[in-house]
Amino acid sequence: MKTDISYARHLDSEDELSTYREEFYLSPDKIYFDGNSLGILSKRAKKTVEMLMESWKEYGIDGWSEGAYPWFYLSEKLGKMSAHLIGARPEEVIITGSTTTNLHQLTASFFQPRGKKTKILADELNFPSDIYALKSQLRLKGLQPEDHLIQVKSKDGNTLNTNTIIEAMSEEVAMLVLPGVLYRSGQILDMETITVEAHKRGIIVGFDLCHSIGSIPHQLSEWGVDFAFWCTYKHLNGGPGSVGGLYVNQKHFGNNPGLAGWFSSNKEKQFDMDHTLTPAESAGAYQIGTPHVLSAAPLIGSLEMFEEIGIARIRKKSLELTNYLMKLIEVELQEQGFFIANPKADELRGGHIYLEHPEAARICKALKAEGVIPDFRNPNGIRLAPVALYNTFEEIWKMVQILKTIMENKAYKNFENKRGVIA
Ligand SMILES: *Cc1c(COP(=O)(O)O)cnc(C)c1O
């Protein structure tokens, strides 16, 4: 592979998604590689927030049924717009809540310990919030997390083995919750095989798609996954605290949700004000209260771009970007003590690269001082996410050069090797 800047520019000239960069508010003096933590604001997202502010201004209460995007149906509309990203039927998806509250809702709904089956299967590498939620749900059912939460172990501290996961599916497991893509190493789990094997053993299957939605394709309906949940501020560029999403397979429609509220209702019946809930015959039944309309608004504009492009093209470019980044790191940084800790194979690699280095905290600070925005993960990880919608091959080239300089002139030693409050 060629390592000069002209080759990076050549790759950019062949990039069929290059025009989408213009859609985003990128700072000219920064290289943003943190779109897997917080995606960048797009012009369309800003516009749709303004449109919904306008409908509030113009219609007041009637904004629920009037305007370009009537608020009463917005969660369902956004669910439909998201369905293609995860390979679901439109009515199987709803935009509501947050990752953690959706996991609470889905566990309250799907975890029904009976007889021998009283345990939840998770893993030791998942994001803490998921584990806190699962433990608290076990306690609510009067079960001790120490005995009832099984966390599959990782052999190398970064990845999980499908067979190890399958071996942990004992007859005591009632439900499993695993990430689609691991937040640290970016490993893609084999969601299809895990689902098939779990179902053979009567285990309900849920996936956390925070790092996979908008980054890789999924076929949740086809695989028969029972439920899934995610946030929309990472690869989906919904903005800080944008409303999350959930998927429930249609085979579960018609049941009461674990945590009910009036927005769980069949929409025709909701305003009957009856004290007996008639749940929506869709994923909409897992909503609780009034939707956070203004925090859902940016998603209208943002998801429109994903619909236009399609996840297959996004994935294709994402793989090219991360592949290019790994090759440059191997060539340019080979003497600097970095370890590429994400899986290298295309089918196992999500949307970001994960580097380990003992000085990672201060290397990240030095990169930031040079205008590169990476993502530090305690204690020694650097995540770099070149995003298909707005990053370029030239930015990757420049970032690697900056990193090389920081390492060669030891500029990182000017910083303390300690994380900030938000890292
Ligand atoms: C980002 C992320 C979360 C965050 O949860 P919120 O409820 O949105 O704060 C949870 N789990 C995983 C795996 C994540 O990547």
Side-chain angles (χ1 to χ4, degrees):
M1 193 197 68
K2 302 193 192 97
T3 56
D4 53 307
I5 191 167
S6 56
Y7 183 64
R9 288 181 178 148
H10 164 73
L11 292 173
D12 283 324
S13 74
E14 295 205 319
D15 169 18
E16 55 171 20
L17 303 186
S18 62
T19 54
Y20 281 91
R21 184 171 166 84
E22 306 297 318
E23 301 256 6
F24 290 84
Y25 293 99
L26 290 156
S27 165
D29 49 2
K30 292 227 164 73
I31 298 179
Y32 195 81
F33 278 167
D34 207 2
N36 62 331
S37 272
L38 184 78
I40 289 282
L41 174 65
S42 66
K43 293 173 188 168
R44 293 197 217 188
K46 181 162 181 279
K47 192 170 140 231
T48 53
V49 174
E50 286 162 1
M51 283 171 81
L52 289 210
M53 298 284 281
E54 237 359 85
S55 68
W56 178 19
K57 188 170 125 193
E58 193 168 328
Y59 299 106
I61 184 84
D62 288 334
W64 287 103
S65 53
E66 304 291 325
Y69 301 101
W71 311 329
F72 193 56
Y73 303 100
L74 184 59
S75 313
E76 285 77 11
K77 181 186 168 55
L78 291 170
K80 279 196 187 78
M81 290 178 78
S82 316
H84 72 107
L85 294 170
I86 57 168
R89 301 170 189 95
E91 62 280 10
E92 289 176 326
V93 187
I94 193 83
I95 292 300
T96 187
S98 69
T99 309
T100 314
T101 62
N102 289 341
L103 174 55
H104 273 292
Q105 165 69 297
L106 293 160
T107 306
S109 305
F110 287 96
F111 177 55
Q112 291 163 355
R114 270 195 209 105
K116 259 195 210 157
K117 283 196 169 307
T118 57
K119 297 191 179 178
I120 298 177
L121 179 62
D123 68 282
E124 66 165 1
L125 299 180
N126 204 346
F127 197 81
S129 202
D130 297 41
I131 301 300
Y132 302 162
L134 293 174
K135 286 184 179 174
S136 66
Q137 286 289 332
L138 283 165
R139 282 189 210 103
L140 281 171
K141 294 239 159 65
L143 301 167
Q144 290 309 312
E146 302 78 60
D147 313 319
H148 289 83
L149 182 67
I150 305 169
Q151 289 185 265
V152 175
K153 298 241 178 312
S154 162
K155 288 203 182 86
D156 59 4
N158 283 322
T159 58
L160 297 171
N161 179 289
T162 309
N163 288 331
T164 315
I165 295 171
I166 295 168
E167 281 159 20
M169 295 177 185
S170 74
E171 54 183 12
E172 293 172 338
V173 175
M175 182 179 98
L176 72 75
V177 175
L178 293 166
V181 165
L182 299 191
Y183 82 100
R184 199 184 281 267
S185 71
Q187 180 195 6
I188 301 176
L189 293 192
D190 184 346
M191 290 178 258
E192 182 174 12
T193 304
I194 291 168
T195 304
V196 170
E197 292 301 323
H199 283 169
K200 278 186 202 161
R201 296 161 176 82
I203 298 170
I204 290 274
V205 177
F207 286 110
D208 179 327
L209 306 183
C210 281
H211 280 273
S212 61
I213 191 163
S215 160
I216 63 166
H218 311 68
Q219 296 301 336
L220 297 195
S221 300
E222 191 188 311
W223 300 335
V225 173
D226 296 284
F227 68 84
F229 53 98
W230 56 89
C231 59
T232 56
Y233 47 79
K234 291 171 181 163
H235 288 279
L236 295 184
N237 311 316
S242 56
V243 181
L246 65 81
Y247 149 94
V248 171
N249 191 286
Q250 67 175 15
K251 67 187 171 210
H252 299 296
F253 288 178
N255 296 333
N256 273 304
L259 308 175
W262 75 315
F263 268 81
S264 318
S265 297
N266 172 313
K267 287 196 124 48
E268 301 296 317
K269 302 247 166 88
Q270 183 168 344
F271 278 86
D272 290 353
M273 300 310 210
D274 197 337
H275 278 192
T276 302
L277 170 69
T278 307
E281 279 277 334
S282 67
Y286 296 84
Q287 297 175 91
I288 303 177
T290 303
H292 303 170
V293 172
L294 295 181
S295 299
L299 286 166
I300 308 168
S302 180
L303 289 173
E304 200 181 274
M305 278 185 273
F306 284 85
E307 280 190 316
E308 236 169 64
I309 304 168
I311 191 65
R313 288 162 78 204
I314 290 172
R315 174 64 170 159
K316 179 172 171 282
K317 178 174 171 190
S318 165
L319 283 173
E320 287 163 6
L321 288 167
T322 48
N323 214 3
Y324 179 63
L325 173 54
M326 287 193 297
K327 295 260 162 62
L328 277 188
I329 290 167
E330 279 164 3
V331 175
E332 301 281 0
L333 298 170
Q334 54 179 321
E335 282 151 32
Q336 306 300 344
F338 288 100
F339 172 62
I340 299 179
N342 54 274
K344 290 188 183 165
D346 282 3
E347 66 278 12
L348 295 179
R349 186 172 88 249
H352 68 265
I353 293 306
Y354 183 61
L355 296 180
E356 286 183 340
H357 195 290
E359 310 276 2
R362 51 179 166 177
I363 293 170
C364 283
K365 288 180 193 171
L367 279 172
K368 276 201 165 177
E370 294 297 325
V372 175
I373 316 295
D375 190 83
F376 172 69
R377 279 292 165 252
N378 211 29
N380 62 346
I382 304 173
R383 295 190 306 188
L384 296 165
V387 172
L389 287 182
Y390 49 79
N391 286 123
T392 64
F393 292 91
E394 184 170 340
E395 284 180 304
I396 292 177
W397 188 89
K398 283 186 178 151
M399 190 280 295
V400 172
Q401 293 304 313
I402 292 169
L403 184 52
K404 190 176 175 184
T405 307
I406 287 169
M407 299 312 293
E408 283 177 356
N409 67 15
K410 310 233 181 293
Y412 65 89
K413 295 207 166 164
N414 299 330
F415 301 86
E416 213 189 338
N417 198 32
K418 203 172 149 233
R419 72 172 169 86
V421 176
I422 297 174

